[in-house]
Amino acid sequence: MIKGVIYALLILLAIACFIPFLMMIVNATRSNDAILTGFTLIPGSALLENYNTMMEYVNIWNGFKNSLIISVLVTVLSGYISALTAYGFAFYTFKGKNFLFVFMLVMMMVPGQLGLIGFYELSKVLGILDTFIPLIVPAAASPFVVFFLRQYIKTTLHPSLIEAARIDGASEWKIFHTIAIPIMMPAVATMSIFTFIGSWNNYIMPLVILFSPEKYTLPVLMGFLKGSQVAQNLGSMYLGIAISVVPIMIAFLFFSKYIVNSISAGAVKE
């Protein structure tokens, strides 16, 4: 009886969470006048008209491509570099290790917007303005991801397993790639979701760094869309938002299976 009530509540919660997405998809197919009359679950017939109106002002697919390139590269580089850094902090002893770790924790508390002007000037000096480099390389070094992965691997990878691999003649790189990385995958997958979503939704940095319209990311284009005459066509706005949300949903569905299946993974069972 209790289990049935719990399942019923979970189903209601899932429906409540799904309704906004359903409204967004349905409204993307309706005309502006139809949307103003109220909500309905029946799709409209203005999808093509809304799409053409939106494309007259912005090339949303070009922005989609730019955002996808940046977000995928940031997610992959951040996951690998952060895992490598976290592994070093967890299992290696070197001079200044504690100072560097504390410094990294302090950097977690500093809002990124405070260094925006300095970052812009640095990118200008390096000649990398209006390129994807400032949006990819700095984002690959995430103090929070390193901290999270370091705490995770300290509790799941026993040092004796590393010592056993060294005794067997495995190199440090092989130990990292064949032992540490597979064990860290649940944590890497978890952080990859947030990294991808954060990079995909990043608005202020591309707005400052990029100047060429053909290099604009999807959030920047959506910002321009809201300030254009397209904002008067709610169907086109809903369609643009729906297109921008799809990759986030796919990323979560793809990475969540690693979290669900392997979140309790451990190296040594005692």
Side-chain angles (χ1 to χ4, degrees):
M1 180 63 182
I2 297 178
K3 183 180 293 187
V5 173
I6 294 176
Y7 279 127
L9 292 176
L10 291 176
I11 292 174
L12 291 175
L13 182 61
I15 294 175
C17 294
F18 182 71
I19 286 178
F21 295 98
L22 180 61
M23 293 177 60
M24 175 182 63
I25 295 173
V26 171
N27 284 338
T29 66
R30 303 171 68 200
S31 64
N32 188 65
D33 294 336
I35 294 175
L36 293 176
T37 59
F39 173 70
T40 177
L41 294 176
I42 302 176
S45 57
L47 177 61
L48 185 59
E49 179 183 349
N50 293 336
Y51 178 78
N52 292 332
T53 301
M54 177 184 62
M55 292 298 292
E56 287 179 2
Y57 290 88
V58 296
N59 188 349
I60 195 168
W61 295 114
N62 188 61
F64 187 97
K65 179 195 68 175
N66 295 336
S67 290
L68 188 63
I69 292 173
I70 294 173
S71 299
V72 170
L73 289 177
V74 167
T75 302
V76 172
L77 290 176
S78 176
Y80 181 79
I81 295 175
S82 297
L84 187 62
T85 307
Y87 178 76
F89 273 122
F91 297 107
Y92 287 89
T93 301
F94 51 89
K95 188 175 182 179
K97 170 183 174 181
N98 294 331
F99 171 79
L100 290 175
F101 188 72
V102 172
F103 179 77
M104 183 186 66
L105 296 182
V106 172
M107 289 297 99
M108 290 171 51
M109 306 174 190
V110 179
Q113 293 81 358
L114 293 180
L116 185 59
I117 297 178
F119 182 71
Y120 175 86
E121 292 297 330
L122 177 61
S123 300
K124 183 178 180 180
V125 172
L126 295 176
I128 56 176
L129 287 177
D130 200 27
T131 67
F132 292 160
I133 296 176
L135 304 177
I136 297 175
V137 176
S142 174
F144 178 74
V145 177
V146 172
F147 172 74
F148 183 87
L149 295 181
R150 187 254 185 190
Q151 299 304 108
Y152 181 86
I153 198 172
K154 286 281 288 185
T155 58
T156 56
L157 178 56
H158 200 281
S160 61
L161 190 60
I162 298 177
E163 294 299 327
R166 287 171 178 166
I167 293 174
D168 289 340
S171 65
E172 298 299 319
W173 281 106
K174 186 174 183 180
I175 294 174
F176 173 73
H177 288 101
T178 59
I179 298 178
I181 281 290
I183 292 175
M184 296 170 69
M185 275 306 299
V188 172
T190 303
M191 289 294 98
S192 294
I193 293 176
F194 298 110
T195 301
F196 183 88
I197 293 175
S199 179
W200 183 267
N201 292 332
N202 189 11
Y203 174 74
I204 184 66
M205 193 65 72
L207 183 65
V208 173
I209 296 297
L210 302 176
F211 308 136
S212 302
E214 65 273 9
K215 296 180 181 178
Y216 286 157
T217 60
L218 195 54
V220 175
L221 289 181
M222 292 302 298
F224 286 154
L225 202 62
K226 293 178 182 178
S228 66
Q229 295 183 0
V230 181
Q232 300 175 4
N233 188 325
L234 297 178
S236 297
M237 290 297 299
Y238 275 112
L239 180 59
I241 295 172
I243 293 175
S244 66
V245 167
V246 168
I248 296 177
M249 300 177 65
I250 294 176
F252 179 80
L253 292 174
F254 177 77
F255 286 113
S256 61
K257 66 179 182 179
Y258 293 101
I259 304 173
V260 174
N261 295 335
S262 307
I263 195 63
S264 60
V268 177
K269 303 296 183 182
E270 295 183 357

